[in-house]
Structure formats: C-alpha cells, structure tokens
Amino acid sequence: MSLNCAEIDKILEELNLEGSYIQKVVQSSYSVMVLHLYKTRPMSLVICLEPGACRLHETTRKIPKFDKPLRFMELLRSRLRGAKITEAVQLNNDRIVRLSLETASGMLYLYIRLWSGAANMLLVDNGIIVDAFYRRPSRHEVSGEPWQPLPGETEAAVTDVEAKTTESTSITVSPIAADKPVKTYTVRSYDASKTFNEAIDEWYARQAPVLSLEALRAEAERFYGLKIEKISRALEKLEAKKHSFLQADTLKHQGDLLLANLYRIPQGASSVELEDYAADNRIIRIALDPRKTAQENAAGYYERYKKAVSGLEALTDDIEASKRTLAALNEELAKLRVEENPYLIEKVLHKRKIPVQRKQAAQEKERPGLTFYHDGWILYVGRTAAENDELLRHHVRGKDMWLHVRDYSGGYVFIKNKNGKTVPLPVLIAAGNLAVFYSKARRNGQADLYYTAVKDLRRAKNAPKGTVLPSNEKNLSIKLDPVVLKQLEQSRGEALN
C-alpha cells in the first residue's frame, strides 16, 4: 500500500527537511533512491517508486549501493551534492512532493510523484525537465520537455493552491465532478511511542509487497533452493561417475584375463567365467558383447580403462568445485535467513540473479549452427560456410578448439575452452564424431581430421567465406560411433538429421 496524501504531509511535517543539505545520493535498486541528508543530524531519506509501495520516509537501516552506477543517480550526484533544501512540500494534496534545492549554479526542483500507476522522479530547471527517473515520452517526461506538475496546470498555478495543512491526521480532497463524493484521507494507526516515520519504516520492511522480509526471504529460499538442488543432483552424478572411474584397474585386469584366455571364450557369448590368477584362482564372471570377438571385447575393456584414467583428474576437480559452490550457497542462504535488513537481502538476490539473467540473455541471443553438450563441455557446429564464418567471427575465442575433416567439405566444430583444463579425450572424440557427421565424409562412416586452437587459424585471402588456414594442427582419425552420436543428440534435445 502506497502512502496517501495525509500520510505524506505527516512524514514531511516530522522530518522538517527545510535547511537540510544533500551529502550523498545512493540508488539501492531499480525503484529505490536514497538521499543522505544532514541538518542537525544525519538522515537517510528513502524514495521508493515501486507500484503498490510508493513512499518517502526516513530509514535507519543500512542502504547498500547498487552494483553499477545508474543514469539518474549519477545525474543527481553531479547536480545535487551539497545542495540545500529550502522547501519540501506536497502539491495540492496530490501525492506530488516538490523539493526546492539551492545549488551553486542556481535553484533546481526535484519533483517526486508517488502515484502507484505512474510514479516518477524528475529534476527540473526553470520549468524544463533536466532528466527523469523513468523516461516516458508519451507523458512528455523526458529531457528538454516543459514540466507541468499536475495535468493542465502550470507550476505557478499549482504553487498558488498548495495545501498548507498543519493538521496531518485528516485531509479532505474536493471532488473533481459534482456528482462524486468528497473523499477524506487519514493517517493509518500506529504505535504512538514511535514517530510516524519510524512506524512506516518498520511497516514497509515487514509488510510491503516489494521489500518485506517475509517476501524476500521466501524468494531467497526459492532461488537458492533451486540452485542448491540442481548442483546437488549434478554432484551425485559426478560422484557416481567417479566411483565407476575408480574401478579403472578392474577394467584393465578384466581385459588382461580375456587376452590370456582367448581360446576359452566362445564366439557370441554374452559372458564368460574365468579363473582370476590375482585372487587365488577364484572364478569370476566377465560380461561380453556377443557381437564382438574375444579380442574386440578385450580391446573394449582397455578403451574403457583409458577413458576412466584420463577423465578421473578432471572429474575430481569438478567434484571439488561443485562442493565449494554448494557450501557457499548454503552459507549465503543461512545468512539471509537471519538478516533483518530487507535492502541488503534485495541486493544479494539481485547480485545473484544478474549472472543468471545474462546467461539466459546469451542463450536467447540467436547463435548460428547447433550447440551440443558433452561431459560438461560445450560444442558448437557450423553446417554451412555462413554459419562457420559467423561462429568464427563472433562466438569463439583464441583458446577454443577447432576441428574439421581432411579432404572433404563440411562444417566447423568448436570446443569451448575451460580455463586451466585440457580437453579430455572423450570430448575430443565426441567433437570428432560431429565433424564427420556434418561433412561429406558422413557416408563413409569415418574420416581423418585435424584440430588446433582458434588462435592458430588464419583467414585465407580471396577465398570463399569461412575459409581458414590452420597451423600447429594435430591429426585425429574418427570412426562414427552411434552411441556417442545418440548421447550428443540427447544433450541437444533435438534429433540429428
């Protein structure tokens, strides 16, 4: 609920702003501005333009700074710092407050319109708008426009009819039309042991829909809860994968047993029982792929062993990083649960949401080609010369990796770099599968590739769009793997075609 005209007069009467000097201007959110004043004592004047909670009042709560400088705040800092408030009055009981400000360069006027449907704050010089908190061209509330505080009235006319009420507990506003009843506004009831300013500050901190402790804490629980749940699920998967990787020696040992007993393994068997020479000749069962020969099954166990060994170190780093992130989120949430200052809770939530919003905006921004995910790595694929060129120019950086098939035309594949990490072999093989799949070599089912860092690519002069000359390239031979392609297809959420 926003302040009514009687409450605004009560606030101004208690504060007695005339003679105060503006020492500092702080904007704590997209709808809250704070003027730090000094007269006989320091005072923080909150001006909130949020629909449903429009108000101005003194606060004793700590006001955090916004993370980046905002336009209107910077203007007020440059024009009003050190200014003296010579008058603070509500115009015609219409919830428009005018602060008359004496500055070194002359008189300026700050108009604060506390209307829930059209709140705004405007700096005016000689009847012309210097700038507005919310720029609204349709209402002529932009720089350079003449300013009329009330529709159809000039500033001089409003001054003549200003309400000079000394009793702020009840104000009667005359109807515009004769058939409408007279409306009386009163100050809401409050604890008489406090000033009305103190009561209002406490009321908005606990009950207002925008900055209430309950609402902000509920939002914090929801926001942090979702992030914690997401990271916890990912951590469980990483732990399970690490457990399987820790069995790498078992995979190698099973491959050794298969090679040592080739003559005992029948073709087409789905499993075989063999004596384990490393465990007192105990009989163990080893699973087999019936479509493969004994040698191919043994080679499969060795391949799984190599992947496990190569991925274990990176996986351990990812697990530790996830645990640190999880601990930090839980610690932040615990602090917010006991924090009593709604302005601080709002700032923390805003700061946390900014990376999420930027990430969503980046995802929404149209990127050419296709995007895949494999073991936490991001892969871009260009399917045409135009997509290849666009990705190369605007969406990859020097340390990202580039792959392309040899002797065939086809799309570029890029692996986005992770600081301090080398691309694991499984990710490189997955990217190689994409390079073959999106090339003329697809019908062959295999091809030779070369790969290098994007910084080692040089554009070819007078050549078709997207043509590059690589250096420091390495070779890779890829045979299309349906299993890998299916995993990539699922990570993208769309069918390969």
Side-chain angles (χ1 to χ4, degrees), residues 4-10 90 92-93 163 165 167-174 182-187:
N4 63 40
C5 56
E7 292 172 335
I8 291 173
D9 273 343
K10 181 71 172 175
Q90 179 183 187
N92 201 27
N93 294 326
T165 55
E167 179 58 53
S168 300
T169 58
S170 179
I171 291 179
T172 300
V173 178
S174 301
V182 174
K183 192 165 185 178
T184 300
Y185 292 92
T186 59
V187 174

Side-chain angles (χ1 to χ4, degrees), residues 301-317:
Y301 275 97
Y302 286 132
E303 183 64 27
R304 289 166 59 190
Y305 164 74
K306 291 178 182 177
K307 288 182 179 180
V309 171
S310 63
L312 184 58
E313 183 177 352
L315 192 62
T316 302
D317 292 340

